[in-house]
Amino acid sequence: MAIPIISDLLERLFGSGEDPHSRDDVKRRLQIVLAHDRLALDPQTLEMMRQEIIAVVSRYVEVDFESLEFSLATNERVTALTANLPIRRIRPLGRGPDQPIMPEQEVEKIELASPAEALALDAQDAEAALRRFEANTRDAHPYLDIDRSGLDEDEDESGTTGTNNSVLAEAEAATSTDLAVGESVDDSFRASDDSVALLEEPTPEIPDMSIPEASAHAKMQSDK
Amino acid sequence: MSRIIVMTSGKGGVGKTTCTANLGMALAKAGQRVAVVDADFGLRNLDLLLGLENRIVYTALDVLAGECRLDQALVKDKRQPNLALLPAAQNRSKESIKPEQMKRLIKALTKVYNFILIDSPAGIEMGFRNSIAAAREAIIVTTPEISAVRDADRVIGLLEANDIKAVRLVINRLRPAMVAAEQMMSVKDVQGILSIPLLGVIPDDEQVIVSTNKGEPLVLDEKLSKAGIAFTNVSQRLQGEKVPLMDLSIPQDNFFTRLKRLFGVSS
Ligand SMILES: Nc1ncnc2c1ncn2[C@@H]1O[C@H](COP(=O)(O)OP(=O)(O)O)[C@@H](O)[C@H]1O
Ligand SMILES: [Mg+2]
């Protein structure tokens, strides 16, 4: 009897066991699956809705794409879509609410619709600045690459411990590199890169897509 | 006015038929005139759980085909004359009957019986639609397992859509020790998620199998098992009585009592 008791004790104290909190796990899984069942929306539609919401909100404010959350929750048989969109700042450029939105090309559209003629020149400057900026930071960018073996010295401190840890550490290191370089530029560069990376899967188009932010940035500077 | 109640779950094997047999018998014991209707065409089982399988002459299909009268198809229980079974055909598929026909059968039963329990098949197809066609109330039977609860939720939605508003929950096969060990959802968890009123909780009880083997519903036992008490309680609540939920907490043979025993503290 002593052995089962001791293992029981250990299990209770340290919550080891095979399914430490399988009750909580199953509740969470169930709640998610029921929210979807009850809504009866297919995943594609849901994803489209998500993208459109992000696109609309992004016209007015700069959303922190790293921490935004969409979730379906259900309570008392009523399903609610909850969007948590942390705002970084208000958009410096006004973008009218009546402008049509194509989620897939959202950023491109905004670029085309960029209103003020006077901005065109500044934007070109900014574009050039952006290219420079990207050339400096691309290697260290955490969102675009998977093979990070070629990371620079910042990352060496974190070493090569556990896989998860090291990936995290790399991401951190990369971010701090970003910041270091970004100091001389504007924070909005980072934001725009992030936003594009998460709004759509990272693709080779990303550098182009960041241009509107560059013009936004340019506008801010020209306003000063 | 008769109460027409469908026992349904979505998922198979969660205890619909067991609940129908025991609730039907418990209600009959309490003096209600009860008809239990096997709507699981092709896979009938209710006759077995009631021990009436050898007395079936006609089935609901024969009534609909005009080969016999309804009363000829009804199998009256000898132990409990208030109870009658309307058997399903065993050799026909679920598609062999339509919701309209089911309504005609049930409507006729309401002339004599004041409780009509319909044992629904698993699934949400034709057999399910037949079983809910005439129902005014529903008892959702589920176990505290993710797949059963998910299916129950689906069925609750379908019942709502079919204007069956009195929908109540029976949680079957609860294992209190597993709940205590956080390995099974609790009654509160399941009810909270499904958000319909709770009619009762039936513990997982091996006596259920013993009673199935004999063809004698648990509620007939002289000394009621835990599940037998739970079924009786459900039947009383169904008749409007206020019966508190039975205490299913584990008889304290857990870690702490064993620990006490280890150190020689009697408890
Ligand atoms: N409370 C219970 N404790 C133990 N076994 C049970 C319990 N309820 C049902 N069972 C068993 O589960 C199986 C399925 O039950 P059944 O009533 O036929 O389910 P359904 O009609 O929903 O398909 C049967 O073998 C039955 O004996
Ligand atoms: Mg059954």
Side-chain angles (χ1 to χ4, degrees), chain A residues 58-132:
Chain A
S58 300
R59 270 192 286 166
Y60 300 96
V61 293
E62 209 167 83
V63 171
D64 181 355
F65 287 87
E66 266 166 74
S67 45
L68 67 77
E69 281 173 16
F70 275 82
S71 61
L72 283 172
T74 143
N75 190 21
E76 292 293 317
R77 309 203 62 78
V78 177
T79 301
L81 168 72
T82 313
N84 190 349
L85 309 173
I87 294 169
R88 281 196 165 151
R89 55 171 195 172
I90 309 292
R91 282 249 180 254
L93 268 182
R95 291 186 173 94
D98 46 8
Q99 274 177 304
I101 292 271
M102 294 294 290
E104 261 76 23
Q105 306 157 339
E106 180 249 354
V107 180
E108 241 175 283
K109 269 266 155 72
I110 292 171
E111 181 191 21
L112 287 171
S114 222
E117 273 288 303
L119 281 181
L121 282 173
D122 287 354
Q124 272 170 8
D125 285 347
E127 189 177 337
L130 176 68
R131 295 243 181 276
R132 249 176 282 124

Side-chain angles (χ1 to χ4, degrees), chain B residues 16-17 40 45 119-120:
Chain B
K16 291 177 296 292
T17 306
D40 201 346
N45 274 328
D119 182 21
S120 138

